[in-house]
Coordinates of all heavy atoms in Angstrom, one line a residue:
M1 N 19.0 -28.4 -3.2 CA 18.8 -27.0 -2.9 C 17.6 -26.5 -3.6 O 17.4 -26.7 -4.8 CB 20.1 -26.3 -3.4 CG 20.0 -24.8 -3.1 SD 21.6 -24.0 -3.5 CE 21.1 -23.1 -5.0
S2 N 16.8 -25.7 -2.9 CA 15.6 -25.1 -3.5 C 15.8 -23.6 -3.8 O 16.6 -23.0 -3.0 CB 14.4 -25.3 -2.6 OG 14.5 -24.5 -1.4
V3 N 15.3 -23.2 -4.8 CA 15.4 -21.8 -5.1 C 14.1 -21.1 -4.9 O 13.0 -21.6 -5.4 CB 15.8 -21.6 -6.6 CG1 15.9 -20.1 -7.0 CG2 17.1 -22.3 -6.9
D4 N 14.1 -20.0 -4.1 CA 12.9 -19.3 -3.8 C 12.6 -18.3 -4.9 O 13.2 -17.3 -5.0 CB 13.0 -18.6 -2.5 CG 11.7 -17.9 -2.0 OD1 10.7 -18.1 -2.7 OD2 11.8 -17.1 -1.1
T5 N 11.6 -18.7 -5.8 CA 11.3 -17.8 -6.9 C 10.0 -17.0 -6.6 O 9.5 -16.3 -7.4 CB 11.1 -18.6 -8.2 OG1 10.1 -19.6 -7.9 CG2 12.4 -19.2 -8.6
E6 N 9.5 -17.2 -5.4 CA 8.2 -16.5 -5.0 C 8.5 -15.1 -4.7 O 9.5 -14.7 -4.0 CB 7.7 -17.2 -3.8 CG 6.3 -16.7 -3.4 CD 5.8 -17.4 -2.1 OE1 6.4 -17.2 -1.1 OE2 4.8 -18.1 -2.2
S7 N 7.8 -14.2 -5.3 CA 8.0 -12.8 -5.0 C 7.1 -12.3 -3.9 O 6.2 -13.0 -3.5 CB 7.8 -11.9 -6.3 OG 6.4 -11.8 -6.5
W8 N 7.3 -11.1 -3.4 CA 6.5 -10.6 -2.4 C 5.0 -10.5 -2.8 O 4.1 -10.7 -2.0 CB 7.0 -9.3 -1.8 CG 6.9 -8.1 -2.8 CD1 7.9 -7.7 -3.7 CD2 5.8 -7.2 -3.0 NE1 7.4 -6.6 -4.4 CE2 6.2 -6.3 -4.0 CE3 4.5 -7.1 -2.5 CZ2 5.3 -5.3 -4.5 CZ3 3.7 -6.1 -2.9 CH2 4.1 -5.2 -3.9
V9 N 4.8 -10.3 -4.1 CA 3.5 -10.2 -4.7 C 2.7 -11.5 -4.5 O 1.5 -11.5 -4.2 CB 3.5 -9.8 -6.2 CG1 2.1 -9.8 -6.8 CG2 4.2 -8.4 -6.3
D10 N 3.4 -12.6 -4.6 CA 2.8 -13.9 -4.4 C 2.3 -14.1 -3.0 O 1.4 -14.9 -2.7 CB 3.7 -15.0 -4.8 CG 4.1 -14.9 -6.3 OD1 3.2 -14.7 -7.1 OD2 5.3 -15.2 -6.6
R11 N 2.9 -13.4 -2.0 CA 2.6 -13.5 -0.6 C 1.7 -12.4 -0.1 O 1.3 -12.3 1.1 CB 3.9 -13.5 0.2 CG 4.6 -14.8 0.0 CD 5.9 -14.9 0.7 NE 6.9 -14.1 0.1 CZ 7.8 -13.2 0.7 NH1 7.7 -13.0 1.9 NH2 8.7 -12.6 0.0
A12 N 1.2 -11.5 -1.0 CA 0.4 -10.4 -0.6 C -1.0 -10.9 -0.1 O -1.6 -11.8 -0.7 CB 0.2 -9.4 -1.8
A13 N -1.4 -10.3 1.0 CA -2.7 -10.7 1.5 C -3.9 -10.3 0.6 O -4.9 -10.9 0.6 CB -2.9 -10.0 2.9
C14 N -3.6 -9.4 -0.3 CA -4.7 -8.9 -1.2 C -4.7 -9.7 -2.5 O -5.5 -9.5 -3.4 CB -4.5 -7.5 -1.6 SG -2.9 -7.1 -2.3
R15 N -3.8 -10.7 -2.6 CA -3.7 -11.5 -3.8 C -5.1 -12.1 -4.1 O -5.6 -12.8 -3.2 CB -2.7 -12.5 -3.7 CG -2.5 -13.3 -5.0 CD -1.4 -14.2 -5.0 NE -1.4 -15.0 -6.2 CZ -0.4 -15.6 -6.7 NH1 0.7 -15.6 -6.1 NH2 -0.5 -16.2 -7.9
G16 N -5.6 -11.9 -5.3 CA -6.9 -12.5 -5.7 C -8.1 -11.7 -5.3 O -9.2 -12.0 -5.7
M17 N -7.9 -10.6 -4.5 CA -9.0 -9.8 -4.1 C -9.4 -8.9 -5.2 O -8.6 -8.5 -6.1 CB -8.7 -9.0 -2.8 CG -8.5 -9.8 -1.6 SD -8.0 -8.8 -0.1 CE -9.4 -7.8 0.1
D18 N -10.6 -8.4 -5.2 CA -11.1 -7.4 -6.2 C -10.4 -6.1 -6.0 O -10.4 -5.5 -4.9 CB -12.6 -7.2 -6.0 CG -13.2 -6.3 -7.1 OD1 -12.4 -5.7 -7.8 OD2 -14.4 -6.3 -7.2
V19 N -9.7 -5.6 -7.0 CA -8.9 -4.4 -6.8 C -9.8 -3.2 -6.5 O -9.4 -2.2 -5.9 CB -8.1 -4.1 -8.1 CG1 -8.9 -3.7 -9.3 CG2 -7.0 -3.0 -7.8
E20 N -11.1 -3.3 -6.9 CA -12.0 -2.2 -6.6 C -12.1 -1.9 -5.1 O -12.5 -0.8 -4.7 CB -13.4 -2.5 -7.2 CG -13.5 -2.5 -8.7 CD -13.2 -1.1 -9.3 OE1 -13.7 -0.1 -8.7 OE2 -12.5 -1.1 -10.3
L21 N -11.8 -2.9 -4.3 CA -11.9 -2.7 -2.8 C -10.8 -1.8 -2.4 O -10.9 -1.2 -1.3 CB -11.7 -4.1 -2.1 CG -12.8 -5.1 -2.3 CD1 -12.4 -6.4 -1.7 CD2 -14.1 -4.6 -1.5
F22 N -9.8 -1.6 -3.2 CA -8.6 -0.7 -2.8 C -8.7 0.7 -3.4 O -7.8 1.5 -3.3 CB -7.3 -1.4 -3.2 CG -7.1 -2.6 -2.4 CD1 -7.7 -3.8 -2.7 CD2 -6.3 -2.6 -1.2 CE1 -7.5 -5.0 -1.9 CE2 -6.1 -3.7 -0.5 CZ -6.7 -4.9 -0.8
V23 N -9.8 0.9 -4.1 CA -10.1 2.2 -4.7 C -10.7 3.2 -3.7 O -11.7 2.8 -3.1 CB -11.0 2.1 -6.0 CG1 -11.4 3.5 -6.5 CG2 -10.3 1.3 -7.1
I24 N -10.1 4.3 -3.5 CA -10.7 5.3 -2.7 C -11.6 6.2 -3.6 O -11.1 6.9 -4.5 CB -9.5 6.2 -2.0 CG1 -8.5 5.4 -1.3 CG2 -10.2 7.3 -1.1 CD1 -9.0 4.7 -0.1
P25 N -12.9 6.2 -3.4 CA -13.8 6.8 -4.3 C -13.7 8.3 -4.5 O -13.9 8.8 -5.5 CB -15.2 6.4 -3.8 CG -15.0 6.0 -2.4 CD -13.6 5.5 -2.3
R26 N -13.2 8.9 -3.4 CA -13.1 10.4 -3.5 C -12.1 10.8 -2.3 O -12.0 10.0 -1.4 CB -14.4 11.1 -3.3 CG -15.1 10.8 -2.0 CD -16.5 11.3 -1.9 NE -17.1 10.9 -0.6 CZ -17.5 9.7 -0.3 NH1 -17.3 8.7 -1.2 NH2 -18.0 9.4 0.8
P27 N -11.5 11.9 -2.5 CA -10.5 12.4 -1.4 C -11.2 12.4 -0.1 O -12.3 12.9 0.0 CB -10.1 13.8 -1.9 CG -10.3 13.8 -3.4 CD -11.5 12.9 -3.6
G28 N -10.6 11.9 0.9 CA -11.1 11.9 2.2 C -12.0 10.7 2.6 O -12.4 10.5 3.7
A29 N -12.4 9.9 1.6 CA -13.2 8.7 1.8 C -12.4 7.6 2.5 O -11.2 7.6 2.3 CB -13.8 8.2 0.5
R30 N -13.1 6.8 3.2 CA -12.4 5.7 3.9 C -12.3 4.5 3.0 O -13.2 4.3 2.2 CB -13.3 5.3 5.1 CG -13.3 6.3 6.3 CD -14.2 5.8 7.4 NE -14.2 6.7 8.5 CZ -13.4 6.6 9.5 NH1 -12.5 5.7 9.6 NH2 -13.5 7.5 10.5
P31 N -11.2 3.8 3.1 CA -11.1 2.6 2.3 C -12.0 1.5 2.8 O -12.6 1.5 3.9 CB -9.6 2.1 2.6 CG -9.3 2.8 3.9 CD -10.1 4.0 4.0
A32 N -12.3 0.5 1.9 CA -13.2 -0.6 2.2 C -12.6 -1.4 3.4 O -11.4 -1.6 3.5 CB -13.3 -1.5 1.0
P33 N -13.4 -1.8 4.3 CA -13.0 -2.6 5.5 C -12.2 -3.8 5.1 O -11.2 -4.2 5.8 CB -14.2 -3.0 6.2 CG -15.3 -2.0 5.8 CD -14.9 -1.6 4.4
E34 N -12.6 -4.4 4.0 CA -11.8 -5.6 3.5 C -10.4 -5.3 3.1 O -9.5 -6.0 3.4 CB -12.5 -6.2 2.3 CG -13.9 -6.7 2.6 CD -15.0 -5.7 2.3 OE1 -14.7 -4.5 2.4 OE2 -16.1 -6.1 1.9
A35 N -10.2 -4.1 2.5 CA -8.9 -3.6 2.2 C -8.0 -3.4 3.4 O -6.9 -3.7 3.5 CB -9.0 -2.4 1.3
V36 N -8.6 -2.7 4.4 CA -7.9 -2.4 5.6 C -7.5 -3.7 6.3 O -6.4 -3.8 6.7 CB -8.8 -1.5 6.5 CG1 -8.2 -1.3 7.9 CG2 -9.1 -0.2 5.9
A37 N -8.4 -4.6 6.4 CA -8.1 -5.9 7.0 C -7.0 -6.7 6.3 O -6.1 -7.2 7.0 CB -9.4 -6.8 7.1
A38 N -7.0 -6.6 5.0 CA -6.0 -7.3 4.2 C -4.6 -6.7 4.5 O -3.6 -7.4 4.8 CB -6.3 -7.3 2.7
C39 N -4.5 -5.4 4.5 CA -3.3 -4.7 4.8 C -2.8 -4.9 6.2 O -1.6 -5.1 6.4 CB -3.4 -3.2 4.4 SG -3.5 -2.9 2.7
E40 N -3.7 -5.0 7.1 CA -3.3 -5.2 8.5 C -2.7 -6.6 8.7 O -1.8 -6.8 9.6 CB -4.5 -5.1 9.4 CG -4.9 -3.6 9.6 CD -6.2 -3.5 10.5 OE1 -6.8 -4.5 10.8 OE2 -6.5 -2.3 10.9
R41 N -3.1 -7.6 8.0 CA -2.6 -8.9 8.2 C -1.5 -9.2 7.2 O -0.9 -10.3 7.2 CB -3.7 -10.0 8.1 CG -4.3 -10.2 6.8 CD -5.2 -11.4 6.7 NE -5.7 -11.6 5.4 CZ -6.8 -11.0 4.9 NH1 -7.5 -10.2 5.5 NH2 -7.2 -11.3 3.6
C42 N -1.2 -8.3 6.3 CA -0.2 -8.6 5.2 C 1.2 -8.6 5.7 O 1.6 -7.7 6.5 CB -0.4 -7.5 4.1 SG 0.6 -7.9 2.7
T43 N 1.9 -9.6 5.3 CA 3.3 -9.8 5.8 C 4.3 -9.1 4.9 O 5.5 -9.1 5.2 CB 3.7 -11.3 6.0 OG1 3.5 -11.9 4.7 CG2 2.8 -11.9 7.0
V44 N 3.9 -8.6 3.8 CA 4.8 -7.9 2.8 C 4.5 -6.5 2.6 O 4.8 -5.9 1.6 CB 4.8 -8.7 1.5 CG1 5.3 -10.1 1.6 CG2 3.4 -8.8 0.9
A45 N 3.9 -5.8 3.6 CA 3.5 -4.4 3.5 C 4.7 -3.5 3.2 O 4.6 -2.5 2.5 CB 2.8 -4.0 4.8
D46 N 5.9 -3.8 3.8 CA 7.0 -3.0 3.6 C 7.4 -3.0 2.1 O 7.8 -2.0 1.5 CB 8.2 -3.4 4.4 CG 8.0 -3.1 5.9 OD1 7.1 -2.2 6.2 OD2 8.7 -3.6 6.7
A47 N 7.4 -4.2 1.5 CA 7.8 -4.3 0.1 C 6.7 -3.6 -0.8 O 7.0 -3.0 -1.8 CB 7.9 -5.8 -0.3
C48 N 5.5 -3.7 -0.4 CA 4.4 -3.1 -1.1 C 4.6 -1.6 -1.1 O 4.5 -0.9 -2.1 CB 3.0 -3.5 -0.4 SG 1.6 -2.6 -1.1
L49 N 4.9 -1.1 0.1 CA 5.1 0.4 0.2 C 6.2 0.9 -0.6 O 6.1 1.9 -1.3 CB 5.3 0.8 1.7 CG 5.5 2.2 2.0 CD1 4.3 3.1 1.6 CD2 5.8 2.5 3.5
A50 N 7.3 0.1 -0.6 CA 8.5 0.5 -1.4 C 8.2 0.5 -2.9 O 8.8 1.2 -3.7 CB 9.6 -0.5 -1.1
A51 N 7.3 -0.4 -3.3 CA 7.0 -0.5 -4.7 C 5.9 0.5 -5.2 O 5.6 0.6 -6.4 CB 6.5 -1.9 -5.0
T52 N 5.3 1.1 -4.3 CA 4.2 2.0 -4.6 C 4.7 3.4 -5.1 O 5.5 4.0 -4.4 CB 3.2 2.2 -3.4 OG1 2.8 1.0 -2.9 CG2 2.0 3.1 -3.7
N53 N 4.3 3.8 -6.2 CA 4.8 5.1 -6.7 C 3.8 6.2 -6.3 O 2.7 6.0 -5.8 CB 5.0 5.1 -8.2 CG 3.7 5.0 -9.0 OD1 2.7 5.7 -8.7 ND2 3.7 4.2 -10.1
R54 N 4.3 7.4 -6.5 CA 3.6 8.6 -6.0 C 2.2 8.8 -6.7 O 1.3 9.4 -6.1 CB 4.4 9.9 -6.3 CG 5.6 9.9 -5.5 CD 6.5 11.1 -6.0 NE 7.8 11.0 -5.4 CZ 8.1 11.6 -4.3 NH1 7.3 12.2 -3.6 NH2 9.4 11.5 -3.8
D55 N 2.0 8.2 -7.8 CA 0.8 8.4 -8.6 C -0.3 7.3 -8.3 O -1.4 7.4 -8.7 CB 1.0 8.4 -10.1 CG 1.9 9.6 -10.4 OD1 1.8 10.7 -9.8 OD2 2.7 9.5 -11.4
D56 N 0.1 6.3 -7.5 CA -0.8 5.2 -7.2 C -1.9 5.7 -6.3 O -1.6 6.1 -5.1 CB 0.0 4.1 -6.6 CG -0.8 2.8 -6.5 OD1 -2.1 2.9 -6.5 OD2 -0.2 1.7 -6.4
S57 N -3.1 5.8 -6.8 CA -4.2 6.3 -6.0 C -4.9 5.3 -5.1 O -5.8 5.6 -4.4 CB -5.2 7.0 -6.9 OG -5.8 6.1 -7.8
L58 N -4.5 4.0 -5.3 CA -5.1 2.9 -4.5 C -4.7 3.0 -3.1 O -3.6 3.5 -2.7 CB -4.8 1.6 -5.1 CG -5.2 1.3 -6.6 CD1 -4.8 0.0 -7.0 CD2 -6.8 1.5 -6.7
F59 N -5.5 2.3 -2.2 CA -5.1 2.1 -0.8 C -4.0 1.0 -0.9 O -4.3 -0.1 -1.3 CB -6.4 1.6 -0.1 CG -6.2 1.5 1.4 CD1 -6.0 2.5 2.2 CD2 -6.2 0.2 2.0 CE1 -5.8 2.4 3.6 CE2 -6.0 0.0 3.3 CZ -5.8 1.1 4.1
R60 N -2.9 1.3 -0.4 CA -1.7 0.4 -0.4 C -1.0 0.5 0.9 O -0.8 1.5 1.4 CB -0.7 0.8 -1.6 CG -1.3 0.7 -2.9 CD -1.3 -0.7 -3.4 NE -1.6 -0.9 -4.8 CZ -2.2 -1.9 -5.3 NH1 -2.5 -2.9 -4.5 NH2 -2.4 -2.0 -6.6
A61 N -0.5 -0.7 1.3 CA 0.3 -0.8 2.5 C -0.4 -0.2 3.7 O 0.2 0.4 4.6 CB 1.7 -0.1 2.3
G62 N -1.7 -0.3 3.7 CA -2.5 0.3 4.8 C -2.6 1.8 4.8 O -3.0 2.4 5.8
M63 N -2.3 2.4 3.7 CA -2.4 3.9 3.6 C -3.0 4.4 2.4 O -2.9 3.7 1.3 CB -0.9 4.4 3.7 CG -0.2 4.2 5.0 SD 1.4 4.9 5.0 CE 2.3 3.3 4.7
T64 N -3.6 5.5 2.5 CA -4.1 6.2 1.3 C -2.9 6.9 0.6 O -1.9 7.1 1.2 CB -5.2 7.3 1.7 OG1 -4.5 8.3 2.5 CG2 -6.3 6.6 2.4
R65 N -3.1 7.4 -0.6 CA -2.1 8.2 -1.3 C -1.7 9.4 -0.4 O -0.5 9.7 -0.4 CB -2.6 8.6 -2.7 CG -1.5 9.4 -3.4 CD -1.8 9.6 -4.8 NE -3.1 10.2 -5.1 CZ -3.6 10.5 -6.3 NH1 -2.9 10.2 -7.3 NH2 -4.8 11.0 -6.4
T66 N -2.7 10.0 0.2 CA -2.4 11.2 1.0 C -1.5 10.9 2.1 O -0.5 11.6 2.4 CB -3.7 11.9 1.5 OG1 -4.5 12.2 0.3 CG2 -3.4 13.1 2.3
T67 N -1.8 9.8 2.8 CA -1.0 9.4 4.0 C 0.5 9.0 3.5 O 1.4 9.4 4.2 CB -1.6 8.2 4.7 OG1 -2.9 8.6 5.1 CG2 -0.8 7.8 5.9
R68 N 0.5 8.3 2.4 CA 1.9 8.0 1.9 C 2.7 9.2 1.5 O 3.9 9.4 1.8 CB 1.8 7.0 0.7 CG 1.2 5.7 1.1 CD 1.4 4.7 -0.1 NE 0.8 5.1 -1.3 CZ -0.5 4.8 -1.7 NH1 -1.2 4.1 -0.9 NH2 -1.0 5.3 -2.8
R69 N 2.0 10.2 0.9 CA 2.7 11.4 0.5 C 3.2 12.2 1.8 O 4.3 12.6 1.8 CB 1.7 12.3 -0.3 CG 2.4 13.6 -0.7 CD 1.3 14.7 -1.1 NE 0.6 15.0 0.1 CZ -0.7 15.4 0.1 NH1 -1.4 15.5 -1.0 NH2 -1.3 15.7 1.3
D70 N 2.3 12.2 2.8 CA 2.7 12.9 4.0 C 3.9 12.2 4.7 O 4.8 12.9 5.2 CB 1.6 13.0 5.0 CG 0.4 13.9 4.5 OD1 0.6 14.6 3.6 OD2 -0.7 13.8 5.1
R71 N 3.9 10.9 4.6 CA 5.1 10.2 5.2 C 6.4 10.5 4.4 O 7.4 10.6 5.0 CB 4.8 8.7 5.2 CG 3.9 8.2 6.4 CD 3.7 6.8 6.3 NE 4.9 6.0 6.1 CZ 5.2 4.9 6.8 NH1 4.5 4.5 7.8 NH2 6.3 4.3 6.5
R72 N 6.2 10.5 3.1 CA 7.4 10.8 2.3 C 7.9 12.1 2.6 O 9.1 12.3 2.7 CB 7.1 10.6 0.8 CG 6.9 9.2 0.3 CD 6.8 9.2 -1.2 NE 6.7 7.8 -1.7 CZ 5.6 7.2 -2.1 NH1 4.5 7.9 -2.2 NH2 5.6 6.0 -2.5
Q73 N 7.0 13.1 2.7 CA 7.5 14.5 2.9 C 8.1 14.6 4.3 O 9.1 15.3 4.5 CB 6.3 15.4 2.8 CG 5.9 15.6 1.4 CD 4.6 16.5 1.2 OE1 3.9 16.7 2.2 NE2 4.3 16.9 0.0
A74 N 7.6 13.9 5.3 CA 8.1 13.9 6.6 C 9.5 13.3 6.6 O 10.5 13.7 7.2 CB 7.2 13.2 7.6
G75 N 9.7 12.2 5.8 CA 11.0 11.5 5.7 C 12.0 12.4 5.0 O 13.1 12.5 5.4
A76 N 11.5 13.2 4.0 CA 12.4 14.1 3.3 C 12.9 15.2 4.2 O 14.0 15.6 4.2 CB 11.7 14.7 2.1
R77 N 12.0 15.7 5.1 CA 12.4 16.7 6.0 C 13.4 16.2 7.0 O 14.3 16.9 7.4 CB 11.1 17.3 6.8 CG 10.3 18.2 5.9 CD 9.3 19.0 6.8 NE 8.3 18.1 7.4 CZ 7.2 17.8 6.8 NH1 6.9 18.2 5.6 NH2 6.3 17.0 7.3
K78 N 13.3 15.0 7.4 CA 14.3 14.4 8.3 C 15.6 14.3 7.7 O 16.6 14.6 8.3 CB 13.9 13.0 8.7 CG 13.0 12.9 10.0 CD 12.9 11.4 10.4 CE 11.9 11.3 11.4 NZ 11.5 9.9 11.6
V79 N 15.7 14.0 6.4 CA 17.0 13.9 5.7 C 17.6 15.2 5.6 O 18.8 15.4 5.7 CB 16.8 13.2 4.3 CG1 18.0 13.3 3.5 CG2 16.3 11.8 4.5
Q80 N 16.8 16.3 5.4 CA 17.3 17.6 5.2 C 17.8 18.2 6.5 O 18.7 19.1 6.5 CB 16.2 18.5 4.6 CG 15.9 18.2 3.2 CD 14.7 18.9 2.7 OE1 14.1 19.7 3.4 NE2 14.3 18.7 1.4
S81 N 17.3 17.8 7.6 CA 17.7 18.5 8.9 C 18.9 17.9 9.5 O 19.5 17.0 9.0 CB 16.5 18.4 9.9 OG 16.2 17.0 10.2
Ligands
SF4_101 S1 0.0 -4.2 2.1 FE1 -2.1 -4.2 1.4 S2 -2.1 -3.5 -0.7 FE2 0.0 -4.1 -0.1 S3 0.3 -6.1 -0.8 FE3 -0.3 -6.2 1.3 S4 -2.5 -6.4 1.3 FE4 -1.9 -5.8 -0.7

């Protein structure tokens, strides 16, 4: 029997990439194309999104912090209605 000890982080498409590629230099700026491409092909984006906290300013799960915040707020409104 094998035990799967690999975490989603080990399978992240951005593993080994320069984290600077995921930095949004200023509000409204576009993420680096390399970061966008990594997130588009990443198979663990859902886990990444779930692990991302509100203060994370990096481009994560194919989204900027602003986009993630908007999604959370939209989700909260759905729960309330
Ligand atoms: S979704 Fe993007 S930031 Fe998240 S683990 Fe995958 S490649 Fe990295």
Side-chain angles (χ1 to χ4, degrees):
M1 182 172 108
S2 70
V3 176
D4 183 10
T5 56
E6 185 181 64
S7 77
W8 66 267
V9 174
D10 297 319
R11 291 179 279 134
C14 60
R15 185 176 176 158
M17 290 176 67
D18 184 348
V19 71
E20 291 296 320
L21 292 169
F22 292 82
V23 172
I24 306 292
R26 62 190 175 287
R30 291 177 179 267
E34 296 93 329
V36 174
C39 290
E40 283 178 352
R41 71 174 183 273
C42 187
T43 60
V44 293
D46 287 345
C48 174
L49 180 60
T52 304
N53 70 42
R54 293 172 191 271
D55 297 327
D56 191 337
S57 62
L58 297 177
F59 185 71
R60 295 283 190 207
M63 291 178 260
T64 63
R65 177 169 56 182
T66 301
T67 304
R68 292 191 304 268
R69 183 199 63 211
D70 291 349
R71 280 180 47 133
R72 283 188 179 109
Q73 290 175 346
R77 280 194 294 273
K78 267 188 191 169
V79 170
Q80 291 171 359
S81 60

